[in-house]
Amino acid sequence: MLRLGVNIDHVATIRNARGTPWPDPVRAAELAEKAGADGITAHLREDRRHISDADIDRLMAALNLPLNLEMAATAEMQAIALRHRPHAVCIVPEKREERTTEGGLDVAANQEFLADFIAPLRKAGCRVSLFIGHEQDQVEAAARIGAAVVELHTGAYCDLDTEGRLAERDLELEALRRAAAQAHLLGLEVHAGHGLTFDTVGPVAAIPELRELNIGHFLIAESVFLGLGPAIREMRRRMDAARG
Ligand code: PXP
């Protein structure tokens, strides 16, 4: 079973462009559930550029699906996660000047800090996920510090596909496959996400160790043309087809 987590951040991006209450990310989450999403993902960034604290309050109150809260490893975010105790917490690197999460966490270089950071979250019952690249030492470090899950960053694979650099794309995909197999062997649950589209999802979904994909920007973009429900159903169909 390959779960689909729908990331609703960019519903909030559109809302915040005008400062209106609409479009409402909670309504999008409810619609995503009806369309077959298995979970909802929301990234509370330090600068609150899309999802707000109030959105997290409302999502926690309204959702039937598990919430995967993406956040940076800061004391403020840790306190928020401990207050809400979402199903999952995905720790991501964050830079204020970036447009989106550009790379994975350097778990290997920050093992002690991250082990201490995730300990209270684990104790509170959250499934802790670390967003990493496909490097072997990062996968090993994630297992060593006691994460339950690693989410592999698929952004580079997707960018190479968009740019038509197909030989490099295939190498990147192969590295993702190796990392998924390695993480699974080490007892980690393996997720993947970032930048996935109808065109790029198939080869990633076909990686047998993967248990969840988290997809946002493309689904929200495509919903302008198809509607959110049909866009999610089409993504789900492509994931299932790839699993064969
Ligand atoms: N997974 C993680 C850890 C992310 O940070 C993001 C982006 O917020 C996604 C998945 C979804 O990426 P996209 O919006 O490009 O589908």
Side-chain angles (χ1 to χ4, degrees):
M1 162 75 185
L2 181 62
R3 295 189 299 268
L4 171 59
V6 172
N7 180 315
I8 53 166
D9 292 351
H10 297 298
V11 178
T13 303
I14 298 172
R15 175 194 62 191
N16 296 359
R18 280 295 180 91
T20 50
W22 61 82
D24 178 8
V26 178
R27 184 175 169 199
E30 288 165 348
L31 222 111
E33 181 177 4
K34 288 202 189 90
D38 302 294
I40 298 298
T41 295
H43 185 175
L44 185 65
R45 292 187 78 102
E46 289 180 270
D47 62 8
R48 310 302 199 268
R49 70 175 69 158
H50 37 57
I51 293 293
S52 67
D53 298 72
D55 291 331
I56 299 295
D57 294 345
R58 291 174 57 235
L59 283 166
M60 283 301 296
L63 274 187
N64 298 311
L65 291 178
L67 178 68
N68 174 30
L69 174 63
E70 288 180 9
M71 59 181 223
T74 66
E76 182 201 16
M77 290 298 152
Q78 189 189 52
I80 291 169
L82 289 174
R83 196 165 71 243
H84 286 295
R85 298 179 182 221
H87 166 78
V89 172
C90 180
I91 314 291
V92 303
E94 214 175 276
K95 287 193 255 142
R96 287 205 177 220
E97 65 276 16
E98 70 191 355
R99 246 194 259 164
T100 181
T101 313
E102 282 166 356
L105 278 174
D106 193 348
V107 188
N110 297 286
Q111 277 186 64
E112 276 181 32
F113 169 76
L114 285 170
D116 289 347
F117 185 83
I118 68 174
L121 298 168
R122 294 171 63 195
K123 207 163 154 215
C126 301
R127 263 180 99 61
V128 174
S129 168
L130 301 178
F131 191 42
I132 60 171
H134 48 58
E135 300 80 14
Q136 202 175 329
D137 60 334
Q138 300 299 345
V139 178
E140 282 166 3
R144 212 175 297 125
I145 70 168
V149 179
V150 284
E151 180 161 332
L152 300 175
H153 198 311
T154 52
Y157 155 75
C158 293
D159 288 346
L160 290 165
D161 184 84
T162 305
E163 291 161 19
R165 293 157 63 184
L166 303 188
E168 290 159 273
R169 175 201 66 184
D170 291 347
L171 288 175
E172 189 65 24
L173 186 61
E174 193 46 44
L176 290 167
R177 284 196 194 104
R178 274 199 305 275
Q182 181 199 3
H184 180 72
L185 270 177
L186 292 172
L188 292 157
E189 185 172 304
V190 196
H191 301 175
H194 208 282
L196 291 167
T197 66
F198 288 157
D199 288 339
T200 50
V201 76
V204 175
I207 299 174
E209 292 85 4
L210 286 182
R211 290 289 166 270
E212 181 173 308
L213 299 183
N214 284 301
I215 309 181
H217 183 260
F218 178 83
L219 284 174
I220 305 308
E222 201 58 21
S223 72
V224 172
F225 306 107
L226 302 181
L228 183 58
I232 291 170
R233 278 191 284 275
E234 176 61 13
M235 190 61 85
R236 175 87 260 170
R237 190 190 68 71
R238 288 178 188 239
M239 286 164 58
D240 292 344
R243 281 279 159 140

